[in-house]
Amino acid sequence: MISSRNKSLAAAALVATTICGTINAFSTRCASSNHHHHISTTSTSLFSSTAQEQEQELFYAAAGSPSVDMNKYNLPLPSCIENWTAVLQAETSMQSAGIFLKAKDSELFVDSLRFTIRRSGGLGLILTELAGGREDGVGITIIEEVVDGGNADGSGIQPGDSIVGLTVKKSISKGINVEEERVSVSTECLSYDATIEALMSLPEVVSDDDEVTLTVKRLRRQPKISVKLQYPPSDNLPDASIELFAGENLRRAMLTRGIKLNDKFAERFDSGGMGDCGADGTCATCVVSVGKGMDLLSPMK
């Protein structure tokens, strides 16, 4: 349930100069009021701020770089409120243990985006809490509104996004050298109060040029592709149409939807007698020719 108290506090806090933000670093560790900080030092200069919507260099493990504008698949705020949830995950070789955001609907997915905005004058974001009230600070907090004219306005950040990390940089003079210190805090799956506490733990703003990088998670609909299939004339079978999710293996997707691919020579590799060798290329007797839309497919491995 959305609390009006949280709305008003968010408006006051995030627009106020005192805590105007620091948001970036995608970190998967969170779920506690004892926020994880990371500090690193590099020799570089401060970067300039931008008010334009920032283009994302997206890459998906299963599908590669998208060939369409992924903003077409964004959800409106009410749908985000309805579909955000969290899951407790054990440690794996790919990810630390923790509590992470997840979509309730299997036809949605969670995307990660980064935005860099100015800190001076506040972030210009209003937050609201979807779940919270726990002593350990675990919860779900999302962006309810991007304030018109605020630092986040026009950046590409949208209502329904959830801030999962913040990073600020500050320059430190050491003799003739200027070093840059980076301070990061993770805020994924935190309550409203714990999120505000994390924001306020960041170094204060010292210059109008100070910037913060926000990593947000966003709910999106899974892109779908319509595929028209035509069998060889000798098979005397009607054309078929199927719908695939982006990133699906083309051959496996067709097999699971009942599309016959193999010929009689392939049946010897299939214990079930259905002519499926397991999609590992064992029999090397089935061929799919892509007549149109090859640009929508990832490179063959």
Side-chain angles (χ1 to χ4, degrees), residues 41 43 52 61 65 69 91 114 117 150 193 226 229-230 236 288:
T41 303
S43 296
Q52 300 179 5
S65 299
D69 180 9
E91 184 175 2
R114 287 191 178 96
I117 62 176
D193 290 337
S226 295
L229 305 171
Q230 294 178 313
N236 195 29
V288 175

Side-chain angles (χ1 to χ4, degrees), residues 67 87 110 138 163 177 198 206 270:
S67 59
V87 60
V110 178
V138 173
I163 300 169
N177 296 322
V206 297
D270 177 30

